[in-house]
Amino acid sequence: MLEQKLKLIYDSAQKQISEASSSKNLYEAKVKYLGKSGELSLLMKEMGSLPKEERPEFGKVVNKFKKELEALYSRTEQSLKDQELAKQLEQESLDLTLPGPEIANGSVHPTPLVIDEIVDILARLGYSVRTGPLIEKDWYNFEALNIPPDHPARDEQDTFYMKPGYVLRTQTSPVQIRTLEKEKLPLRILSPGSVFRCDSDISHSPNFHQIEGLLVEKKVSMADLKGTIYFFVKEFFDKSVKIRFRPSFFPFTEPSAEVDCSCPICKGKGCRMCKNTGWVEIGGCGLVNPKVLKAAGIDPNEWQGFAFGFGIERMAIIKYGISDIRLLSDNSSFFLKQFT
Amino acid sequence: MKVSLNWLNEYTDVSSFFSNTDPLAQILTDAGLEVDAINDMAKNFSHVVMAKIIELVKHPDADKLTVCQVDIGTGELQQIVCGAKNHQQGDYVVAALPGAILPGDFKIKKSKIRGVESLGMLCSQKELALSDESEGIIVLKDDSIVPGQSFAEHFGKNDVVFELGVTANRSDCLSHIGLARELSCLLNQELKLPDSSLKASQSPTKEIISVELKDEVNCPRYTARVIKGVKVGPSPQWLKNRLESVDINSVNNVVDITNYIMLEFGQPMHAFDLHQIEGQKIEIKAAEDNEVFVSLDGSEHKLAAGDLGIYDANKLVALAGVVGGQNSGISDDTQDLLLEVAHFTPGTVRKTSRRLGISTDAAYRFSRGTDPSQVIKAMERACSLIQELCGGDVSEGVIDCYPQPIQRQKIQLAPTYLEERLGYAVAKDDFLSWMKRLGCEFCGEKNQELSFLPPSWRWDLEIKEDLVEEYGRLNGYDKIPESLPSLSYEPLTHDASYIQDRFVQSFFAKQGFYQAVNYNFLGGEALSEFLGGPGSQFEGCGFLSSEELATVQNPLSEEYNTMRPSLSPSLYKNLMTNYRSGVSSSQIFEVGKVFGVHQSEYFERRHLGLLLYGQSQNLWQNNSSTSPQVFTMKSYVENFLRSLKAKSWSWKPWEPKLSFLHPGRSATLFFEGKLMGYIGEIHPKLKSQSKLREDVAFAEFDLELLMRSFPKKPKLQELSKYPAVERDFSFVVSESVSASEIVSFIAKTNKKLIQNVSVIDRFVGGDLKAGSHSLTFRVLLQDSASTLSEEVIKSLQSEILTKVQSQFS
């Protein structure tokens, strides 16, 4: 009688556990058959009605069934969990081709970027940056640099005038004089910054940037200057560029040279950037004119120097292939984002 | 400066360069004369030849056309169909053959015209760009013409014109003789000077005119001569061609000759109509202030004291070296000439021509320096040419006022100095030979120093460095070796301002800002509108106060006449440029200077400007929780302050008088005991005027103040080993109580345990009384010595509650 009942309980428990469709169903089945007051426990309590000698055997059978059901329960539980996880995974799946929240990428403007690159290259040779005012005294901007009033070189630097005696500096060279006046020799300095010329067209901006270098030592030669410029230009553009010095004229240097380098865009084959000449003009340089040293209170018989100057926008235009100088002052995000 | 190779060839042999210009361009470039352009005129007329019409018949199918058989020197006749009417058999014409490309990119091809083959075109003046005459073809009746000769050769169009960039020191190369002299030195060949022979009459110049030189400082030399009975008329073709080749228009024979002399010698000269010169007298003296002068072209100029004038007995007839007067110039009726060839000092001429804005070829050359010693040569040459081309009697003798002949200083230098400065070994003989070719006179050697007298045309050679450059360039800059100067001392550090600017720019670039670099000047009017006044509206935010704006005396335009007093207007300009080009959100910053006038002196301060606009988030995520832009700005600024290792700062309410800022949404930064800048939202009025849909926040700081203690090392704190706990507190307080007050009040209740206080929620409305808001703070508690017990936390909690309530409710 009891055995029949046990068989019935076992069969229905097995059925309910194995067919449970959710963790909840399964748990309910567990409580119903295997719980503290579940059907198997109740059956055990009925065991008293059996003859004494049959009880151990019956107990064994109940325990065996119980273990089997518990094992079945574990298996079913695992399989249900697996199914539910699979379902969850499916539901949680995301289209990762959608964009994430935007984290803006900023950039340093190409003009200061080029200045910093040049500074870093020349700092390796011992140069350090000096700065100066943009509204400059005529004396520092012109006279001390051997450009007296009514000198034709003033024609080439169309000047913005401020109150009498002051101009918007047309070059960063006044920083040379200011530095020579107050610092110890020998020295090597760089003066990057904003300069102004009363001139505006496709290739000229009224407010652009230059970097100027000055070295003062006891003895300085054109060979020292050439070595320095060659090193710097190759580091800045590319080791393979060719460089040439062309005789030129600047009131503050003698001898003076214009520096050309083989066009880095077309590698000297000829293109729009170099106007098909294969060469691009990048700056000027020379040995410091003794008159300039004198103006800064330095004895030219004791000290010699060289100086060089480069246009930053020009360097940026050549290096990055920028088509129009105005892009460098428009500050369009479309342009600037290309420098992130 | 334009140079004709044909013309140059008269003085030194450059014939080999006509067909091969590159080597000449290289020689000039290497010598420091930059070649800007080369125009080979013959190239424009290739396949254009002189031809003779041998036979002419009517076109079988067109009344207006003729079919010509022309001789082009090949032995076979060429058939060309022509639409003109003015030609006949036996005429000489110009034929453009297949392959020719005429001006205007007009390509000539073999073609069929109404069924008749035509191998080219007979040209009109206009088709060859000789003149605007398009009626009929060019017809010449000159039997000396050889059919087949190139048109360019026959018409003197076979020239090559070099355009040179002559530097300010090389005025000696502003003429054909000057350049020929330079080339004869470079190529080591002969220089031929032109023939200046003439027949002078019996009448001495002195009896016709007298010259009184009253300003020998500004006019060291003045010469004059008279030619009577000239015939003013058109110039001969060769002279027209010469002038046209270098873009000078032909006027008449006399004026053309004066221009020719200038382009030949580099010596400007002037011709007066002798009959307009009153009192038989020329005086060279300073003009008076406000004196009025009418120049050749009829324009009126007001002079200043010190301008140098050429006067006759009664009036001003020319501005020395700049321009002649209308009252005494050459006209078609002129018969007698007074010629002036002079040497004026560069400064005088430049000053006058710059101030009056008169730029003439003469003023250009004088202000760069002319050669005083060639004045007589130029005068002789001019008289000889005038006599040849215009007729007339040249007076006897030149009046030459040259009271103090200009003496050149000798230059001494040792060859060792050359070696020292150029960086390579120099042979003395080589140096001496180059100096000789250059025209320097060798004056001997003393104590190893060589002495030279520079040539009169090279006024730029003054000191030994000038000769170093001359030798260096003549010998070739490519001979200079490369070396790196050794560093024998400790390098210095960069200026603090550079290091700081660089730190700031890299910080904000990494935070997602684009760096702007703007012009330092803006339009005064636009500025005033943007700021709401003439520029002193920044009071109260810590900026150096400016009495007035720094203005440019000669701006390019009104758009750029004022040095900017703030970076915000520039950044706003950038915002509008970007907004209009379709960028709906952006973050921009600029590190730059602002300008002003303080106690009558200009000042410049380095500023940091920031601008945020639009929401940079994904539209598809539809996130609507947006706090006003100005709070985002504040977070960026505070991030920056933390990167400066700053521990504390505060924001003070500020009601700016600036019209671009919202008066209720602006604050100034109080840091290290000073106000030093502001943050704020765009004024709604400006926002709607500019049709901006997005919010805009501005910030600007005085970088020199902000970075006073930069760089600072971080002060490290020991880390606590014990866990931290968070507790939240909500208070309902009056809206007049600012969150930051409560934050700092809570922080002070227990400095040891309270590590941080932040505002996590603010609520208004609902059941709250009007005028009050609910603020929720999150307090982070941590002890460095032990784990916090529940009792300690509870007692601190109730302390905070009681104290805040009693303080603020």
Side-chain angles (χ1 to χ4, degrees):
Chain A
M1 196 46 205
L2 267 182
E3 274 173 33
Q4 272 179 358
K5 204 173 173 184
L6 175 65
K7 186 79 174 85
L8 278 174
I9 292 171
Y10 177 77
D11 286 348
S12 82
Q14 198 184 31
K15 189 166 187 282
Q16 270 195 38
I17 289 173
S18 61
E19 287 176 3
S21 60
S22 68
S23 299
K24 198 179 159 230
N25 273 341
L26 180 65
Y27 183 73
E28 280 163 10
K30 184 186 178 184
V31 173
K32 185 172 172 192
Y33 298 104
L34 299 167
K36 268 184 193 169
S37 42
E39 291 194 20
L40 276 181
S41 304
L42 294 177
L43 194 69
M44 286 293 268
K45 281 178 192 154
E46 284 179 44
M47 205 162 63
S49 65
L50 283 181
K52 224 177 193 171
E53 61 280 5
E54 286 179 23
R55 284 179 202 164
E57 189 55 28
F58 184 75
K60 265 190 200 164
V61 176
V62 173
N63 274 331
K64 183 180 151 235
F65 280 5
K66 195 175 176 182
K67 276 201 182 123
E68 276 180 27
L69 288 172
E70 274 167 356
L72 178 67
Y73 170 80
S74 300
R75 284 200 306 276
T76 314
E77 186 187 36
Q78 188 58 47
S79 123
L80 277 175
K81 275 191 182 157
D82 287 351
Q83 283 171 29
E84 278 163 16
L85 182 64
K87 204 172 161 193
Q88 184 195 350
L89 291 179
E90 199 187 300
Q91 280 168 353
E92 283 179 357
S93 123
L94 284 179
D95 174 8
L96 291 190
T97 61
L98 284 169
E102 201 176 301
I103 299 169
N105 238 328
S107 69
V108 171
H109 188 283
T111 301
L113 189 68
V114 165
I115 290 178
D116 295 345
E117 276 183 49
I118 296 175
V119 167
D120 289 348
I121 294 167
L122 287 164
R124 285 154 59 197
L125 299 183
Y127 290 78
S128 53
V129 170
R130 291 293 174 271
T131 53
L134 309 191
I135 302 180
E136 187 54 282
K137 289 188 172 132
D138 187 281
W139 195 83
Y140 283 111
N141 193 71
F142 289 122
E143 288 202 51
L145 291 161
N146 192 31
I147 314 174
D150 298 316
H151 188 284
R154 289 204 180 197
D155 290 348
E156 270 139 49
Q157 300 192 358
D158 287 328
T159 310
F160 286 116
Y161 295 96
M162 302 297 286
K163 71 177 182 186
Y166 287 84
V167 298
L168 292 181
R169 69 176 186 190
T170 58
Q171 45 198 0
T172 49
S173 322
V175 178
Q176 285 186 16
I177 307 292
R178 288 177 172 273
T179 310
L180 288 174
E181 278 178 348
K182 62 182 181 223
E183 291 194 27
K184 262 193 352 204
L185 300 182
L187 56 71
R188 298 174 185 200
I189 57 156
L190 293 171
S191 48
S194 217
V195 298
F196 304 83
R197 303 271 171 98
C198 200
D199 193 2
S200 179
D201 60 40
I202 286 183
S203 52
H204 295 90
S205 151
N207 183 185
F208 58 105
H209 297 75
Q210 282 186 341
I211 190 162
E212 186 138 315
L214 169 72
L215 172 146
V216 177
E217 299 261 4
K218 292 277 179 184
K219 295 270 178 248
V220 180
S221 75
M222 284 295 276
D224 293 334
L225 173 60
K226 209 173 181 184
T228 302
I229 301 280
Y230 278 38
F231 166 76
F232 145 64
V233 174
K234 280 170 186 275
E235 286 289 303
F236 182 76
F237 287 115
D238 178 347
K239 291 269 186 216
S240 69
V241 297
K242 290 194 194 71
I243 304 154
R244 71 176 184 192
F245 268 31
R246 263 187 302 116
S248 190
F249 170 73
F250 308 108
F252 29 90
T253 51
E254 191 72 38
S256 303
E258 203 102 47
V259 184
D260 294 345
C261 79
S262 58
C263 179
I265 304 282
C266 63
K267 308 280 174 210
K269 289 190 199 86
C271 67
R272 208 172 77 102
M273 180 69 74
C274 59
K275 294 182 188 136
N276 284 314
T277 61
W279 293 95
V280 286
E281 198 178 308
I282 52 173
C285 63
L287 301 183
V288 178
N289 192 314
K291 292 173 191 169
V292 173
L293 293 174
K294 259 185 232 161
I298 289 163
D299 180 1
N301 293 318
E302 193 185 345
W303 296 99
Q304 301 179 344
F306 69 58
F308 52 86
F310 291 84
I312 300 298
E313 279 81 356
R314 180 108 185 109
M315 298 292 267
I317 282 170
I318 296 168
K319 180 157 186 169
Y320 300 112
I322 297 168
S323 58
D324 185 337
I325 194 169
R326 283 169 295 200
L327 285 169
L328 290 165
S329 55
D330 279 353
N331 298 306
S332 154
S333 300
F334 295 120
F335 176 68
L336 295 174
K337 76 161 91 167
Q338 300 179 65
F339 290 89
T340 55
Chain B
M1 140 101 180
K2 290 197 162 113
V3 182
S4 145
L5 225 50
N6 266 335
W7 197 342
L8 208 53
N9 202 42
E10 288 190 8
Y11 315 116
T12 199
D13 182 10
V14 289
S15 51
S16 64
F17 298 115
F18 277 96
S19 52
N20 190 11
T21 51
D22 285 354
L24 181 58
Q26 191 64 47
I27 288 165
L28 291 169
T29 303
D30 290 346
L33 293 155
E34 201 175 344
V35 178
D36 291 333
I38 301 172
N39 183 11
D40 186 346
M41 293 163 87
K43 262 190 196 160
N44 300 338
F45 296 109
S46 97
H47 296 89
V48 183
V49 298
M50 303 308 294
K52 183 176 184 182
I53 302 178
I54 303 298
E55 188 190 311
L56 181 149
V57 294
K58 277 234 178 295
H59 190 288
D61 275 340
D63 288 348
K64 290 184 179 169
L65 298 178
T66 56
V67 179
C68 307
Q69 303 297 330
V70 300
D71 177 3
I72 53 164
T74 52
E76 274 176 51
L77 295 184
Q78 188 101 345
Q79 175 169 298
I80 295 176
V81 178
C82 179
K85 295 176 197 147
N86 63 330
H87 55 306
Q88 292 168 10
Q89 197 167 312
D91 283 346
Y92 290 89
V93 291
V94 180
L97 305 177
I101 301 170
L102 299 186
D105 205 28
F106 180 23
K107 295 187 177 104
I108 303 298
K109 286 180 244 167
K110 179 174 152 182
S111 63
K112 268 194 176 165
I113 299 172
R114 294 229 176 174
V116 175
E117 191 170 62
S118 179
L119 294 163
M121 184 178 87
L122 302 184
C123 306
S124 69
Q125 298 255 3
K126 193 177 182 182
E127 281 152 351
L128 295 167
L130 295 180
S131 76
D132 284 339
E133 183 58 59
S134 59
E135 194 62 39
I137 56 170
I138 299 173
V139 169
L140 302 164
K141 309 208 185 256
D142 176 356
D143 282 333
S144 69
I145 292 172
V146 182
Q149 188 192 19
S150 94
F151 158 79
E153 205 180 309
H154 185 80
F155 274 79
K157 298 280 177 190
N158 58 338
D159 208 354
V160 179
V161 175
F162 274 65
E163 213 174 316
L164 300 180
V166 178
T167 51
N169 59 327
R170 292 305 304 273
S171 58
D172 64 298
C173 288
L174 293 175
S175 68
H176 285 81
I177 288 181
L179 197 67
R181 185 169 49 209
E182 176 78 2
L183 278 172
S184 76
C185 161
L186 293 168
L187 302 168
N188 205 12
Q189 62 188 32
E190 198 196 342
L191 177 72
K192 295 167 283 186
L193 290 178
D195 175 37
S196 302
S197 58
L198 58 89
K199 268 195 225 143
S201 70
Q202 298 298 314
S203 92
T205 314
K206 274 185 260 180
E207 287 175 10
I208 309 170
I209 194 96
S210 71
V211 174
E212 193 175 347
L213 178 54
K214 285 189 166 167
D215 186 349
E216 57 189 72
V217 174
N218 291 315
C219 175
R221 189 172 198 181
Y222 193 95
T223 67
R225 200 165 191 179
V226 169
I227 306 179
K228 285 190 171 177
V230 299
K231 205 164 168 258
V232 176
S235 292
Q237 193 60 43
W238 71 263
L239 180 54
K240 284 185 184 169
N241 282 349
R242 279 274 183 275
L243 295 179
E244 272 165 22
S245 69
V246 293
D247 281 357
I248 303 274
N249 291 329
S250 171
V251 180
N252 59 45
N253 48 11
V254 174
V255 173
D256 286 0
I257 288 168
T258 61
N259 281 330
Y260 185 85
I261 296 296
M262 178 179 72
L263 296 167
E264 188 175 46
F265 284 88
Q267 172 66 54
M269 60 176 293
H270 188 65
F272 296 101
D273 184 332
L274 185 64
H275 290 281
Q276 308 300 327
I277 303 295
E278 297 171 74
Q280 293 185 306
K281 186 181 178 191
I282 286 290
E283 249 181 60
I284 301 99
K285 63 180 184 189
E288 276 166 30
D289 219 4
N290 293 325
E291 198 169 341
V292 172
F293 173 72
V294 180
S295 56
L296 275 173
D297 63 351
S299 53
E300 207 175 282
H301 304 278
K302 202 189 248 180
L303 307 187
D307 285 333
L308 192 63
I310 312 295
Y311 292 80
D312 66 9
N314 299 317
K315 62 181 186 291
L316 180 58
V317 292
L319 266 185
V322 181
V323 70
Q326 197 184 36
N327 56 14
S328 54
I330 303 298
S331 69
D332 291 346
D333 308 327
T334 300
Q335 291 179 341
D336 299 341
L337 306 175
L338 169 64
L339 297 180
E340 163 202 292
V341 183
H343 181 71
F344 302 111
T345 53
T348 313
V349 176
R350 185 181 181 277
K351 196 154 76 186
T352 302
S353 99
R354 292 280 288 182
R355 202 192 60 252
L356 299 176
I358 311 174
S359 45
T360 56
D361 288 323
Y364 180 77
R365 284 174 175 76
F366 276 126
S367 59
R368 265 145 216 264
T370 52
D371 177 3
S373 73
Q374 70 171 1
V375 163
I376 295 290
K377 273 183 237 159
M379 177 62 96
E380 299 272 325
R381 171 75 167 152
C383 293
S384 149
L385 271 178
I386 290 174
Q387 194 168 52
E388 184 188 332
L389 303 179
C390 323
D393 289 330
V394 179
S395 63
E396 161 64 30
V398 180
I399 296 178
D400 184 5
C401 298
Y402 195 18
Q404 286 284 328
I406 293 170
Q407 296 294 324
R408 296 299 300 272
Q409 294 294 312
K410 284 179 191 161
I411 305 172
Q412 276 91 16
L413 95 163
T416 49
Y417 187 69
L418 275 178
E419 297 186 343
E420 192 181 302
R421 301 315 304 273
L422 292 173
Y424 60 86
V426 176
K428 184 176 144 192
D429 287 348
D430 187 50
F431 177 53
L432 282 172
S433 122
W434 273 115
M435 289 300 108
K436 193 177 166 211
R437 275 158 75 171
L438 199 61
C440 285
E441 187 189 327
F442 179 49
C443 313
E445 185 175 356
K446 201 176 162 192
N447 303 331
Q448 265 122 50
E449 284 207 323
L450 310 174
S451 177
F452 298 94
L453 189 65
S456 60
W457 57 88
R458 289 298 303 271
W459 61 264
D460 61 312
L461 305 182
E462 292 177 325
I463 54 175
K464 57 185 177 180
E465 283 73 14
D466 294 326
L467 296 189
V468 173
E469 177 173 81
E470 287 306 306
Y471 181 73
R473 94 181 159 92
L474 294 170
N475 210 27
Y477 272 7
D478 56 345
K479 300 246 174 26
I480 298 167
E482 294 151 48
S483 61
L484 280 177
S486 63
L487 185 62
S488 56
Y489 53 94
E490 272 182 43
L492 302 161
T493 181
H494 297 317
D495 264 7
S497 64
Y498 174 74
I499 298 173
Q500 292 174 8
D501 286 357
R502 213 168 149 163
F503 177 83
V504 176
Q505 86 193 13
S506 111
F507 177 87
F508 282 100
K510 282 178 197 149
Q511 297 276 322
F513 284 74
Y514 291 129
Q515 184 176 18
V517 174
N518 284 295
Y519 290 166
N520 286 281
F521 32 51
L522 286 166
E525 227 167 86
L527 258 176
S528 176
E529 198 188 318
F530 185 80
L531 302 175
S536 52
Q537 286 73 20
F538 288 95
E539 291 151 10
C541 74
F543 291 169
L544 192 56
S545 74
S546 183
E547 292 139 26
E548 54 177 316
L549 296 182
T551 50
V552 182
Q553 301 302 307
N554 58 330
L556 264 186
S557 72
E558 295 308 302
E559 208 185 334
Y560 302 121
N561 61 4
T562 305
M563 302 306 287
R564 58 182 177 178
S566 157
L567 303 182
S568 296
S570 304
L571 292 173
Y572 182 69
K573 214 172 155 180
N574 300 148
L575 153 67
M576 292 314 292
T577 309
N578 275 299
Y579 194 71
R580 288 189 189 120
S581 67
V583 180
S584 62
S585 74
S586 195
Q587 330 195 95
I588 323 171
F589 78 104
E590 180 165 12
V591 178
K593 280 193 164 171
V594 303
F595 306 80
V597 179
H598 187 67
Q599 290 169 355
S600 306
E601 292 292 331
Y602 290 126
F603 69 81
E604 303 176 12
R605 300 285 289 183
R606 287 167 39 248
H607 275 202
L608 161 65
L610 300 159
L611 184 144
L612 285 178
Y613 82 100
Q615 298 291 340
S616 58
Q617 58 184 308
N618 285 337
L619 298 172
W620 68 272
Q621 283 177 320
N622 195 18
N623 184 349
S624 59
S625 75
T626 55
S627 70
Q629 193 74 273
V630 68
F631 282 106
T632 316
M633 176 66 89
K634 190 177 156 191
S635 300
Y636 279 120
V637 173
E638 293 188 336
N639 245 3
F640 178 62
L641 291 169
R642 277 186 285 271
S643 82
L644 298 179
K645 316 287 182 289
K647 285 271 188 288
S648 66
W649 59 84
S650 58
W651 297 94
K652 308 274 179 211
W654 181 49
E655 215 175 291
K657 290 181 195 143
L658 296 156
S659 59
F660 71 98
L661 283 181
H662 192 307
R665 292 190 173 186
S666 298
T668 66
L669 174 67
F670 186 76
F671 178 50
E672 294 183 337
K674 272 183 190 300
L675 291 175
M676 52 184 68
Y678 61 85
I679 55 170
E681 197 171 291
I682 189 170
H683 197 292
K685 206 171 138 192
L686 177 61
K687 189 178 160 187
S688 71
Q689 267 171 11
S690 312
K691 299 194 172 63
L692 283 165
R693 273 177 291 134
E694 315 287 345
D695 256 347
V696 183
F698 292 92
E700 183 165 347
F701 304 96
D702 183 319
L703 264 188
E704 291 168 37
L705 292 175
L706 197 59
M707 300 190 80
R708 268 186 303 175
S709 28
F710 177 86
K712 248 187 195 171
K713 267 192 281 180
K715 256 194 190 162
L716 296 188
Q717 273 183 331
E718 279 301 322
L719 302 186
S720 172
K721 283 178 242 152
Y722 306 97
V725 292
E726 285 175 351
R727 288 292 181 272
D728 294 349
F729 301 85
S730 285
F731 303 101
V732 176
V733 291
S734 152
E735 280 194 273
S736 64
V737 177
S738 73
S740 67
E741 283 176 76
I742 303 178
V743 167
S744 52
F745 184 82
I746 295 175
K748 272 185 232 156
T749 50
N750 191 322
K751 285 186 180 168
K752 182 168 165 271
L753 300 183
I754 298 178
Q755 304 302 330
N756 188 41
V757 183
S758 52
V759 184
I760 59 165
D761 190 38
R762 174 173 180 265
F763 178 74
V764 280
D767 294 338
L768 291 179
K769 241 182 5 201
S772 58
H773 58 174
S774 163
L775 295 168
T776 304
F777 302 88
R778 178 160 292 168
V779 179
L780 184 76
L781 303 168
Q782 190 179 36
D783 192 355
S784 59
S786 63
T787 303
L788 286 173
S789 67
E790 202 51 39
E791 291 107 73
V792 174
I793 296 172
K794 275 197 175 139
S795 98
L796 188 54
Q797 252 177 312
S798 60
E799 188 187 348
I800 291 173
L801 281 171
T802 338
K803 283 192 170 169
V804 171
Q805 271 161 5
S806 68
Q807 176 75 18
F808 297 102
S809 302

